[in-house]
Amino acid sequence: MQKRKLSDICMSICAIIVTYNPDVSMLLTLIESVDKQVDVLCIVDNGSSADFYLNFPFDYISNFKFIKLEDNFGLGTALNKGIELARKLGMEFVLFLDQDSICSQGMVSCLVKHYKECTLLKVAEIGPRFIDINNSNISQHVNYRTLRVGHIPCPEKLSVVQTDVLITSGSLIPIHVLDFVGPMDESLFIDHIDTEWCLRAKSKGYVLLGDCEALMSHNLGEYRKRIWFIYWREVPVHKAFRYYYIFRNSVLLYHRKYVPWSWIRIDLIRLIEIFGFTLLFGPYRLDKITMMFQGIRDAFLGKTGKLPSCQNRNSDS
């Protein structure tokens, strides 16, 4: 595949895709969607099955790097391994991608163009809007309102808006910002890694930009359940072990000095809602609620990292 010319945007970019037993067809679609848009494509595999990549068609990917981790060390560790490689290769930017995302044509060039247009701002990262694979809805960028997450509209003729948080996938971050703000927090393992880094960057005086024109298809949840609670709403439903990390990492972040009360207030309400929805409507509710309380307990005990393997279950129970 022919790469885009560096002179087109005068910046070198390494895309970092973190994988864990991915759907091969979706991963190949992601690679095809981004390969021509970046200079280096790096897959960091987080301990997938031993024979998973034996027959993977690596040869057709140009300027490709592969990092195989022997175990699942978590999203933060995998992202940091990719960042280290990008830094060694002299890249100026990293582009984070989840294995279940698909980049739109010209997405990366759009992100870079709008980043360059905001040189008067101290920009930490810029990210696209998302098309939910499940329902084709296009997301809006967000800010923290009094009691809930607010949506920031993209007015006509405005290419970017300032946002309070960006999710990992699709985020374009300059290496020099990572040098100053620091790497991803590996102690969280999964969940809130993107939130924590965004809050840390903002505490150091940086702004986050939501791109109004760049788009990416993304799977925003394992699956969603439509329920009636005051009004009709769709609630994400996760495997039991995920609730351990969601609750533990939230409580861990509540104790950090750079985390603002505006985020804590909204996130605490979100945890209460998750607990209530799970208790009233969720499948396997006993196991999930047990994981929630274990996560809260471990946060107060200062435990971080990976949940013991005997409890880190991949079933929906």
Side-chain angles (χ1 to χ4, degrees), residues 102-105 107 128-131 138 212-217:
I102 301 172
C103 301
S104 63
Q105 185 175 4
M107 185 199 81
R129 298 170 70 191
F130 295 93
I131 304 171
I138 300 178
C212 291
E213 299 175 8
L215 294 174
M216 167 184 281
S217 296

Side-chain angles (χ1 to χ4, degrees), residues 193-209:
I193 289 174
D194 43 12
T195 302
E196 186 280 330
W197 193 89
C198 288
L199 296 176
R200 186 165 16 119
K202 286 174 67 70
S203 74
K204 295 177 181 293
Y206 284 94
V207 299
L208 311 173
L209 296 181

Side-chain angles (χ1 to χ4, degrees), residues 24 49-50 53 86 91 125 153 201 203 218:
V24 175
S49 303
Y53 284 103
M91 297 287 104
E125 64 178 314
S203 74
H218 185 64

Side-chain angles (χ1 to χ4, degrees), residues 38-183:
V38 298
D39 303 284
V40 177
L41 195 155
C42 173
I43 288 181
V44 183
D45 184 72
N46 225 339
S48 293
S49 303
D51 58 349
F52 188 83
Y53 284 103
L54 288 179
N55 298 314
F56 195 82
F58 291 122
D59 293 342
Y60 88 99
I61 309 171
S62 53
N63 210 356
F64 172 75
K65 306 294 181 182
F66 181 68
I67 300 174
K68 172 68 174 174
L69 303 181
E70 295 305 316
D71 195 2
N72 184 358
F73 294 107
L75 178 61
T77 297
L79 290 172
N80 287 338
K81 293 293 184 182
I83 293 168
E84 290 174 10
L85 175 64
R87 190 178 281 115
K88 289 178 182 178
L89 295 174
M91 297 287 104
E92 297 174 81
F93 286 81
V94 291
L95 174 72
F96 294 150
L97 296 169
D98 289 351
Q99 64 188 29
D100 53 2
S101 299
I102 301 172
C103 301
S104 63
Q105 185 175 4
M107 185 199 81
V108 178
S109 294
C110 190
L111 292 174
V112 172
K113 175 187 174 185
H114 295 151
Y115 170 86
K116 292 174 67 177
E117 290 174 351
C118 298
T119 53
L120 296 180
L121 297 174
K122 190 178 178 183
V123 180
E125 64 178 314
I126 184 170
R129 298 170 70 191
F130 295 93
I131 304 171
D132 191 333
I133 290 176
N134 299 304
N135 55 29
S136 299
N137 290 338
I138 300 178
S139 69
Q140 292 180 306
H141 298 297
V142 300
N143 60 12
Y144 302 137
R145 293 183 178 176
T146 304
L147 296 175
R148 62 185 178 88
V149 175
H151 294 136
I152 305 173
C154 280
E156 191 175 350
K157 298 182 180 179
L158 195 62
S159 58
V160 297
V161 293
Q162 289 194 33
T163 182
D164 283 335
V165 69
L166 292 166
I167 70 170
T168 301
S169 193
S171 292
L172 183 74
I173 305 179
I175 290 291
H176 71 82
V177 173
L178 286 161
D179 292 338
F180 185 79
V181 175

Side-chain angles (χ1 to χ4, degrees), residues 302-317:
K303 292 185 179 181
T304 60
K306 186 177 181 179
L307 182 67
S309 58
C310 62
Q311 297 174 319
N312 200 4
R313 291 167 291 183
N314 287 323
S315 67
D316 196 26
S317 61

Side-chain angles (χ1 to χ4, degrees), residues 184-298:
M184 303 298 118
D185 188 339
E186 299 180 6
S187 70
L188 299 179
F189 193 74
I190 56 173
D191 286 303
H192 282 326
I193 289 174
D194 43 12
T195 302
E196 186 280 330
W197 193 89
C198 288
L199 296 176
R200 186 165 16 119
K202 286 174 67 70
S203 74
K204 295 177 181 293
Y206 284 94
V207 299
L208 311 173
L209 296 181
D211 198 304
C212 291
E213 299 175 8
L215 294 174
M216 167 184 281
S217 296
H218 185 64
N219 189 349
L220 296 176
E222 294 183 33
Y223 73 91
R224 293 171 180 265
K225 185 173 184 178
R226 194 166 186 262
I227 64 171
W228 170 260
F229 186 77
I230 303 177
Y231 56 88
W232 282 108
R233 62 181 79 197
E234 288 189 345
V235 180
V237 179
H238 301 287
K239 295 181 174 69
F241 76 91
R242 283 289 303 280
Y243 291 99
Y244 170 85
Y245 294 107
I246 291 170
F247 277 70
R248 186 198 69 180
N249 291 350
S250 283
V251 176
L252 286 172
L253 292 187
Y254 296 165
H255 293 87
R256 299 190 181 183
K257 293 181 179 180
Y258 57 86
V259 175
W261 171 244
S262 58
W263 180 82
I264 295 174
R265 179 176 57 241
I266 289 173
D267 190 70
L268 186 58
I269 293 172
R270 183 180 73 98
L271 294 189
I272 294 171
E273 290 179 339
I274 290 173
F275 176 83
F277 295 151
T278 303
L279 181 64
L280 294 174
F281 307 107
Y284 306 104
R285 64 195 67 183
L286 179 59
D287 285 341
K288 293 179 179 181
I289 290 174
T290 299
M291 287 287 98
M292 294 176 192
F293 281 109
Q294 183 177 340
I296 294 172
R297 182 201 65 186
D298 284 358

